[in-house]
Amino acid sequence: MLRLLRYIGHRLYTTWATFWFVLPFVLTYPLQWYLSRRPQHHRYLHALNRQWARLFILMWGVPVETIRKQPLPPGQPCVYVANHSSYIDIPLLFRSIPGWLNIMGKSSLAKVPLWGPIFGSVYITVDRSSAVSRGRAMVQARRTLEAGRSVVIFPEGRIGQHPGQQLDEFKEGAFQLAIAAGVPIVPVTMPLNHRFMPDVEGLRVRYSPLAIILHEPIPTVGLTAEDAPKLKQQAFSVIASALRPQAGGIPEASTWRKPASAPPTTRQHTSA
């Protein structure tokens, strides 16, 4: 009975979370489409996306712990580098980081029906298997910083294989970019997102607290391209230090069926 009640609870909460994610988008879709068609309006579309993220995270009813180690100087663009563990990483970043952001996401996001073309027209998409695409994305990111707009990059390049427990190896592109542009690196740790919505086949949502830690900026003024590996390792260590290994691992799939019991073992008697 307890298993059945837990299964029903999971299904109801998944439906509730999905409803509050989808409803605001559907209601604002005409406005989002209009704003996405005009580059001069992209700032307002990002502000709308931030309010959308704030609303549905609020309606999910989960507590969000937000820690800012040190405020940034007003108007200072920077490169935020964050661990990647869940489908809700981008909304939590939009909710928590002020200002008009650009974000680098995988090219498949632009193929999501309705929302994908809007994301692809406003933010940076990259096919990490293509050197040309990676180069084009870095050029877009550099122009973004030169325009005074911060950039968010996931240096792991994908959702980590062991979310909440350990980081995948970082790529150097974000750190080379920050050094070339002379802007700070801001490490960001999101240690619990995988508990709410893990990267699994199908949709799996579990009520779980969330947390985001914006660490102290790491200056890059005076650094050269040769310093990128050291800068990468420094950011890696800072982000990893705020993971919560006790919360690692993926929530189990919910089922109302009892697990099949193992067949009884039979003892074989041998005669002397």
Side-chain angles (χ1 to χ4, degrees), residues 69 167 187 189 191 213 215 234-245:
K69 294 293 184 71
L167 303 173
T189 306
I213 300 97
H215 298 277
Q234 183 179 358
F236 183 99
S237 298
V238 170
I239 295 172
S241 69
L243 293 177
R244 301 176 184 179

Side-chain angles (χ1 to χ4, degrees), residues 125-142:
T125 59
V126 56
D127 177 0
R128 299 191 183 277
S129 66
S130 167
V132 173
S133 179
R134 294 197 303 269
R136 185 184 298 117
M138 284 300 168
V139 170
Q140 289 179 270
R142 177 68 183 270

Side-chain angles (χ1 to χ4, degrees), residues 78-82 104 128 134 138 141 145 151-157 170-186 220 228 231-232 235:
C78 56
V79 176
Y80 292 89
V81 290
M104 190 177 295
R128 299 191 183 277
R134 294 197 303 269
M138 284 300 168
L145 293 168
V151 177
V152 179
I153 297 176
F154 298 109
E156 291 170 284
F170 281 6
K171 310 293 189 296
E172 278 190 17
F175 307 97
Q176 294 172 348
L177 170 69
I179 290 172
V183 301
I185 283 281
V186 180
T220 64
L231 181 62
K232 178 185 72 172

Side-chain angles (χ1 to χ4, degrees), residues 11 32 73 78 87 133 155 166 170 179 213 223 244-245 247 252 266:
R11 297 283 68 77
Q32 292 203 40
C78 56
Y87 298 122
S133 179
Q166 64 185 63
F170 281 6
I179 290 172
I213 300 97
L223 300 183
R244 301 176 184 179
E252 294 182 356
T266 58

Side-chain angles (χ1 to χ4, degrees), residues 108-121:
S108 60
L109 291 175
K111 300 175 183 178
V112 175
L114 297 180
W115 178 78
I118 292 175
F119 182 89
S121 66

